[in-house]
Amino acid sequence: MKSKTMNADVIVFAIVMSGLISFSQSATPTFRENAADFIKAGFKKTTHRGVEKEDYSKIEIEASPLLMVQEESLIDENHVKVEIKSGDGDWKVMNSTPSMRGGVYKWTASNIEPCENHDVGIWVQGLDESKISFKYPHTIVAASLDDLASSGYRPHVPEDVQVGEYLDGNIEVSWTPAKCASLYDVTYQKLTGGKTIHKQVIASHGNSISLTDEFDSCSDYEIRVSAVIGDEYSEENIVTFSTPPETNSAERLKPVAQPFFNSV
């Protein structure tokens, strides 16, 4: 009798576990074959006075995730994410909350590098907390420098400006390239004022310059570097440096002896 009861318990347990496994499997959403029909991505479009233009500083993604999956009831509508891959970089998840209207989710990615290709993916989470992803099949093709220049796009500021050792009246200045720049503008002058000197470096020729103009010894200078495309300049990255005194300056000093009395 006891054996039969145990067998019955085993059967019931197996049925319950089978049901749980079946429920877990059925609660995992899957994407439809035509899921790409319900998502689009590209540079943000704006309309001014009836003329449509592309805002190359932003990428806009619109998706209807409930229409992209086989069973919309299996999706946790509060856990839908998109990710973006720029050029050969890593995938980065957008943590911003999308706007939602009529089942359409909309994300806007800012501060992108429009001269690189971009790929987009979307993640949805099931009620069982499982996650599945879908890669948007159309790459957002990089904008050309001509398109960026005509659109009024403002490039990103060059980072990590470095000033080398001052040697024989020359100094080397380098920076991390801004990806969407046609050239760099380098400006420098003494902090106390005086003549401002401008130099430009074509971006394809590198990200450094050797300044050989005459510098005053024992003076403080300011160097400003900005990226340029068309008529648009980025913000300036500003650094300062000091020139050393002339090597023979000590020889030209004439000590003057003055009497000194210390009264006690």
Side-chain angles (χ1 to χ4, degrees):
M1 190 66 165
K2 185 176 181 180
S3 177
K4 290 183 178 180
T5 302
M6 290 181 62
N7 290 337
D9 290 340
V10 170
I11 293 173
V12 170
F13 177 78
I15 293 174
V16 170
M17 290 301 298
S18 176
L20 289 174
I21 293 172
S22 176
F23 173 78
S24 176
Q25 292 174 341
S26 64
T28 302
T30 56
F31 283 106
R32 297 177 182 271
E33 290 185 0
N34 64 338
D37 295 340
F38 304 102
I39 179 174
K40 61 181 180 179
F43 293 115
K44 182 179 175 65
K45 296 186 184 315
T46 60
T47 303
H48 182 64
R49 295 182 179 178
V51 179
E52 186 179 74
K53 292 185 177 181
E54 288 186 297
D55 181 354
Y56 291 110
S57 67
K58 299 180 179 67
I59 284 179
E60 199 168 68
I61 305 107
E62 289 187 11
S64 301
L66 298 182
L67 300 178
M68 296 176 67
V69 297
Q70 297 285 358
E71 293 289 342
E72 63 181 66
S73 61
L74 299 181
I75 284 185
D76 185 343
E77 298 181 30
N78 296 318
H79 288 83
V80 180
K81 298 282 188 180
V82 296
E83 58 181 355
I84 295 180
K85 181 176 180 291
S86 300
D88 296 326
D90 297 327
W91 287 93
K92 295 182 179 179
V93 176
M94 290 183 59
N95 293 317
S96 58
T97 302
S99 63
M100 292 178 282
R101 185 175 181 180
V104 178
Y105 291 57
K106 181 184 291 186
W107 295 264
T108 301
S110 303
N111 297 320
I112 64 166
E113 300 286 2
C115 52
E116 291 188 322
N117 291 341
H118 288 78
D119 291 300
V120 173
I122 184 170
W123 287 84
V124 298
Q125 181 171 303
L127 298 179
D128 60 350
E129 298 187 355
S130 61
K131 295 179 181 180
I132 59 171
S133 64
F134 176 83
K135 181 183 176 183
Y136 182 58
H138 307 295
T139 295
I140 302 171
V141 179
S144 68
L145 291 180
D146 288 339
D147 287 339
L148 293 176
S150 61
S151 72
Y153 171 78
R154 190 181 188 190
H156 293 165
V157 60
E159 300 287 349
D160 194 30
V161 176
Q162 299 287 332
V163 178
E165 182 181 1
Y166 181 76
L167 186 64
D168 296 331
N170 299 331
I171 192 165
E172 186 83 8
V173 181
S174 62
W175 54 88
T176 300
K179 293 182 179 179
C180 302
S182 57
L183 56 88
Y184 300 100
D185 184 83
V186 181
T187 304
Y188 59 102
Q189 70 175 150
K190 291 177 68 173
L191 288 178
T192 56
K195 182 181 178 181
T196 300
I197 301 176
H198 297 273
K199 301 287 185 180
Q200 291 192 327
V201 179
I202 298 176
S204 60
H205 291 178
N207 56 306
S208 65
I209 185 173
S210 180
L211 304 179
T212 58
D213 295 88
E214 183 176 346
F215 291 95
D216 293 336
S217 62
C218 204
S219 300
D220 296 323
Y221 284 84
E222 180 181 79
I223 299 177
R224 302 189 296 272
V225 181
S226 58
V228 185
I229 182 167
D231 296 327
E232 296 295 327
Y233 286 64
S234 72
E235 294 182 4
E236 296 177 323
N237 195 332
I238 304 173
V239 296
T240 59
F241 77 98
S242 300
T243 56
E246 293 182 8
T247 55
N248 60 348
S249 59
E251 299 175 1
R252 296 200 306 267
L253 294 177
K254 294 182 179 180
V256 177
Q258 293 183 341
F260 176 77
F261 298 95
N262 185 17
S263 58
V264 178

